[in-house]
Amino acid sequence: MKVFLDSIGCRLNHSEIETTARQLLANGHQIVTEIAAADTIILNTCAVTAAAARDARSRTRQFHHTNPQADIVLTGCYATIAPQEVANIEGAGRVVVNKHKHQLVQMLDPQAHLSLPVFDQEPIMREFLAGSLGAHTRAFIKAQDGCDNKCTFCVTTIARGQGQSRHMGDIIAEIQALAGAGYQEGVLTGVHLGSYGRDLSPNTDLATLVRAILHHTDIARLRLSSLEPWDIPDGFFDLWQNPRLLPHLHMPLQSGSDAVLRRMARRTNRANFRQLADAARAAIPHLNLSTDLIVGFPGETAVEFAESLNYVQQIGFTRLHVFSYSPRPGTAAAKFPNQVPGPVKKERTRRMIDLGHELSLAFHQQYLGQTVNVLWETAVGADSAGLRWAGYTDNYIRVTANGPADLGNTITPTQITAAQSDSVWGVT
Ligand code: SF4
């Protein structure tokens, strides 16, 4: 079977589609990077915003028009919260909800064995990853799924259910195999990574997992994907004394107004978040502290938005992922009164994004003239000076530089020569 794979949304979705790819390869199937070449197409969908659902519909139609014979399988959060709506998309074939996603390969190939070792196929895997899904020299590793919190805007708990942790031994084995296969960096992903281990018996926690990974594996670089700003045990940031744990924390704040945070049912507030940010900065040199922000949440007044903008400036985040509030089916907030009018949301979103650009540029400018280590990922073009590569520093700054054909998946010292809000230029 020739399979084309695609994924929308979070790194957890990416890590799941990477696992599906390895299982398919281990069972003798072929991964193709051309839609037209596929017998089967699998799309891991996202439901976090209306835009993500729209994207899934347009990709499905595009798959169908490009390859009408292909069997199109739709899985993921959008397929889980609206299976009938997804089944009605032109070209949609099977709809596989999240709780059955782990059996997807067996649904396609009843003879398939999901327990087969899957990492000795890595050279093909990396080639496939380079060909589609956006060249990762970083491997995304699923540590946890689901969430027990009830943030009022969030559809993820509806789509992914309660918090579930993978066994530590499986995670360590996967990361060691990836390191053995040449991956330089592993990214731990989850819906609520901070709750890792709570559901295991005996229970454990994220700090114990990170310590065990750094002790039992040879992975050169370990990154945490996203960490909700609560349930972080004292001393957690001391883990970063190990230089293999990368100085980048993505902690979703969502709003800088306490009144809005209460309506979101977020288990944090301005004072607690500041304390956490200060503790992280004190413990982790060169910390890149990024965040998610929702603008235009129901009932958000001009005063609350101004509070949020000011607070974000004061914390001095280094990168903002800004979302214009999008009511999601089944969430409490979708029924809240005082939904903010579209034009107001749009204007506020633009102002928050502009602030994000200012903050990122200021952060990047601190590195002008400095030499930093960069893990090179993708050749992004060529110019008179030769091939142009893109990669990331250990604190997750995107760097572009000219370099030789074999720069990919190597870590080299790079001097930063120019800075923009979304990336920097360097010489390596
Ligand atoms: S912590 Fe809140 S926003 Fe995050 S996944 Fe859980 S419910 Fe959703």
Side-chain angles (χ1 to χ4, degrees), residues 1 19-29 102-121:
M1 185 170 41
T19 302
T20 303
R22 292 189 180 102
Q23 289 169 338
L24 285 163
L25 286 166
N27 283 281
H29 298 292
H102 63 290
Q103 299 154 320
L104 212 158
V105 172
Q106 240 160 11
M107 287 180 194
L108 296 172
D109 169 8
Q111 312 312 314
H113 300 282
L114 299 187
S115 56
L116 284 177
V118 295
F119 295 104
D120 50 7
Q121 308 269 340

Side-chain angles (χ1 to χ4, degrees), residues 12 16 41 45 47 100 182 206 211-212 250 260 282 287 299 321-322 332 399:
L12 186 56
E16 289 166 342
I41 295 171
T45 65
H100 298 311
L206 181 61
R211 222 175 275 117
H250 186 77
V260 175
L287 175 65
H321 294 183
V322 182
V399 185

